[in-house]
């Protein structure tokens, strides 16, 4: 299967403004890239790439005053298979975890493990450790949070999402991540494209998606508490402790986002 991925964002800047962007297909999918989804700007400006502490490819630039267009359009090869389910994946004892996973046990900007630890143990202490426990967490979060774009808030944390019971995909991911970490399971935030391939019409307007990965059985496994069913055509962009590590764009000055379009379409 071939999937066309891309976006177009229009900004208005009252003054020259530095920006950081995390917008390209993740390097782990490099062998699947048929047409690179390279970032382009109009007007053209110098773009400097770099890798962040999590290995994500990032770009930085200074947007000039006025209207700025950011866009990309690429083609990625995909298996066409739903997200894998590995029910036998086991939970590691903390002392047996690889050192590079330990940071994903700790609280972070949007995932307050200190506030949610007691709740997590009350809810999940009796669940079987491993895949079943993470799935139980996803099931709870999926039921507990009511989805709605009107509930989106850039400052909303896992603790707030738990108490408010509403949010968007990143809030589902943050709450599930926090619960996993409370139960001594490393969990990291993921952002990327998620197609509607295989789901009933009508399809919603395109958007970037947030999900998470849990470390079980010696490797990272994907979980999506927002949808809570295996999906087809998930294209990773970046990974981090939570959404604060992988913002699609980070601007360092006033601006207005005029329009925003995302596409993830199967090519016949």
């Amino acid at each position: 299967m071939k999937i066309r991925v891309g976006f177009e964002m229009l900004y208005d800047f009252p003054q020259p403004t530095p920006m950081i962007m995390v917008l390209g297909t993740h390097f782990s999918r490099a062998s699947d890239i048929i047409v690179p989804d390279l970032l382009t700007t109009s007007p053209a400006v110098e773009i400097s790439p770099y890798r962040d502490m999590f290995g994500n490819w990032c770009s930085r630039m200074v947007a000039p005053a006025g209207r700025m267009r950011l866009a990309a359009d690429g083609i990625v090869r995909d298996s066409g298979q739903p997200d894998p389910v590995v029910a036998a994946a086991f939970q590691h004892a903390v002392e047996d975890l690889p050192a590079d996973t330990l940071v994903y046990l700790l609280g972070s900007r949007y995932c307050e493990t200190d506030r949610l630890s007691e709740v997590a143990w009350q809810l999940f202490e009796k669940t079987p450790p491993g895949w079943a426990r993470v799935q139980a967490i996803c099931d709870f979060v999926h039921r507990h949070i009511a989805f709605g774009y009107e509930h989106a808030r850039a400052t909303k944390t896992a603790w707030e999402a738990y108490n408010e019971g509403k949010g968007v995909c990143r809030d589902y991911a943050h709450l599930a991540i926090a619960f996993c970490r409370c139960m001594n399971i490393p969990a990291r935030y993921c952002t990327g494209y998620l197609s509607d391939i295989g789901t009933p019409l009508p399809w919603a307007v395109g958007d970037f998606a947030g999900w998470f990965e849990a470390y079980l059985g010696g490797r990272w496994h994907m979980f999506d508490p927002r949808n809570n069913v295996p999906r087809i055509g998930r294209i990773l962009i970046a990974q981090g402790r939570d959404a604060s590590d992988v913002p699609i764009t980070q601007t360092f000055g006033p601006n207005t986002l005029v329009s925003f379009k995302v596409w993830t379409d199967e090519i016949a």
Side-chain angles (χ1 to χ4, degrees):
M1 175 184 290
K2 297 177 182 178
I3 300 177
R4 181 187 175 202
V5 297
F7 61 87
E8 180 189 66
M9 289 179 271
L10 298 180
Y11 285 89
D12 280 341
F13 293 98
Q15 61 195 37
T17 304
M19 294 185 70
I20 294 174
M21 295 144 292
V22 188
L23 285 167
T25 298
H26 195 259
F27 68 84
S28 62
R29 298 296 299 266
S31 62
D32 295 324
I33 296 174
I34 299 171
V35 177
D37 53 333
L38 301 176
L39 174 65
T40 62
T41 69
S42 180
V45 298
E46 182 179 358
I47 300 174
S48 302
Y50 70 95
R51 278 191 188 271
D52 67 12
M53 68 177 69
F54 304 101
N56 304 307
W57 277 112
C58 309
S59 302
R60 60 188 300 193
M61 70 177 190
V62 177
R67 177 66 53 89
M68 166 64 76
R69 177 180 182 267
L70 307 179
D73 194 25
I75 299 175
V76 180
R77 184 183 298 106
D78 192 78
S79 68
Q81 298 298 310
D83 301 320
V85 175
V86 187
F90 62 90
Q91 181 171 337
H92 295 263
V94 173
E95 61 268 28
D96 296 331
L97 285 166
D100 61 358
T101 68
L102 297 179
V103 67
Y104 299 109
L105 286 179
L106 308 179
S108 57
R109 165 68 179 86
Y110 291 110
C111 302
E112 311 102 313
T113 53
D114 53 347
R115 287 185 161 185
L116 286 161
S117 182
E118 184 176 352
V119 175
W121 281 93
Q122 289 175 349
L123 289 171
F124 308 113
E125 182 179 10
K126 296 182 180 179
T127 58
W131 186 280
R133 176 166 288 169
V134 179
Q135 187 57 57
I137 289 171
C138 290
D139 293 343
F140 174 85
V141 173
H142 181 76
R143 295 190 305 265
H144 186 75
I145 296 181
F147 182 86
Y149 285 111
E150 69 274 17
H151 306 316
R153 188 170 73 246
T155 60
K156 186 182 289 187
T157 68
W159 172 250
E160 292 169 333
Y162 172 73
N163 285 294
E164 295 174 18
K166 55 189 179 182
V168 292
C169 58
R170 67 177 248 164
D171 302 311
Y172 288 75
H174 284 152
L175 183 55
I177 287 169
F179 280 152
C180 284
R181 293 175 183 173
C182 291
M183 303 306 295
N184 299 328
I185 300 170
R188 64 188 182 189
Y189 184 87
C190 300
T191 185
Y193 296 100
L194 178 58
S195 79
D196 289 312
I197 297 167
T199 65
L201 294 170
W203 291 344
V205 176
D207 195 1
F208 293 111
W211 61 91
F212 78 99
E213 293 177 342
Y215 190 83
L216 299 167
R219 60 182 295 265
W220 291 98
H221 298 272
M222 194 289 305
F223 291 89
D224 182 354
R226 158 68 178 100
N227 296 290
N228 209 31
V229 293
R231 294 284 295 268
I232 297 170
R234 193 182 299 272
I235 311 296
L236 179 67
I237 290 177
Q239 302 159 328
R241 292 167 297 187
D242 58 32
S244 64
D245 289 329
V246 290
I248 298 301
T249 60
Q250 178 74 54
T251 56
F252 297 87
N255 64 88
T256 301
L257 179 60
V258 179
S259 70
F260 176 82
K261 299 177 183 177
V262 179
W263 51 88
T264 314
D265 304 317
E266 181 180 5
I267 298 176

